[in-house]
Amino acid sequence: GKCGGFTSDIVDAIRWAVGLPVPGVPSNPNPARVLNMSFGGYACNSSGVCGCDAASQSAIDDAVAAGAVPVVAAGNSNRPAVESSPANCNGVITVAATGRQGQRASYSNYGPLVEIAAPGGGSGAGVLSTLNSSLTSPDLGGYTYGNYQGTSMAAPHVAGIASLMLSVNPALT
């Protein structure tokens, strides 16, 4: 949601999106093959040990076993991606952001957990995105556009490419 959510919400959303059962929720009749997860947060404890929480990792493992490709934003803290979850979970494609000239965007998380980078905007230039002006529900007449920057803008580029690849060859793993 607009102000975030609980890990349990994210875990249920991952599971539901790929067609796995979620107690108390109707089954998803159209399971996704590709998940774009343009969210994240700091994932290190007070001792500085960083890692993906067990519930998130379990949901991602189940999604991958169901044939889904989880694509995640690396984070926007100009820090190693290992410090951000779900970017530090196993089985995901972690996406950093590039600026207009193809360089790592100044805000983008980085490091060996990053598999790929995609346009995320930088130096005042963003990625054009659709917006909805409603505060409570989709407003069919309230669509506008805005420029944003971040790894949350980069990850959908990769999710789109993964989707196109699967549309050509659904047997890809």
Side-chain angles (χ1 to χ4, degrees):
K2 183 176 181 178
C3 297
F6 298 106
T7 299
S8 59
D9 297 326
I10 294 167
V11 165
D12 285 349
I14 291 168
R15 295 182 59 75
W16 184 86
V18 301
L20 298 173
V22 175
V25 179
S27 296
N28 179 353
N30 301 298
R33 286 285 316 270
V34 178
L35 300 177
N36 177 67
M37 294 190 276
S38 287
F39 58 82
Y42 187 69
C44 302
N45 65 23
S46 59
S47 301
V49 176
C50 306
C52 181
D53 66 275
S56 295
Q57 187 62 65
S58 179
I60 289 168
D61 291 345
D62 290 346
V64 171
V69 179
V71 178
V72 304
N76 302 324
S77 303
N78 188 28
R79 303 173 70 112
V82 71
E83 297 178 8
S84 182
S85 184
N88 62 8
C89 295
N90 294 320
V92 300
I93 298 174
T94 300
V95 183
T98 63
R100 293 181 71 103
Q101 306 305 316
Q103 78 289 3
R104 180 178 68 87
S106 61
Y107 54 81
S108 181
N109 286 1
Y110 53 86
L113 292 184
V114 172
E115 279 84 17
I116 193 166
S123 301
V127 174
L128 190 61
S129 301
T130 56
L131 305 171
N132 190 288
S133 59
S134 176
L135 298 176
T136 59
S137 63
D139 175 3
L140 298 179
Y143 290 106
T144 58
Y145 296 94
N147 283 296
Y148 287 92
Q149 61 183 27
T151 58
S152 289
M153 300 294 106
H157 286 87
V158 175
I161 291 168
S163 296
L164 289 172
M165 291 172 65
L166 287 167
S167 74
V168 171
N169 184 356
L172 289 174
T173 60

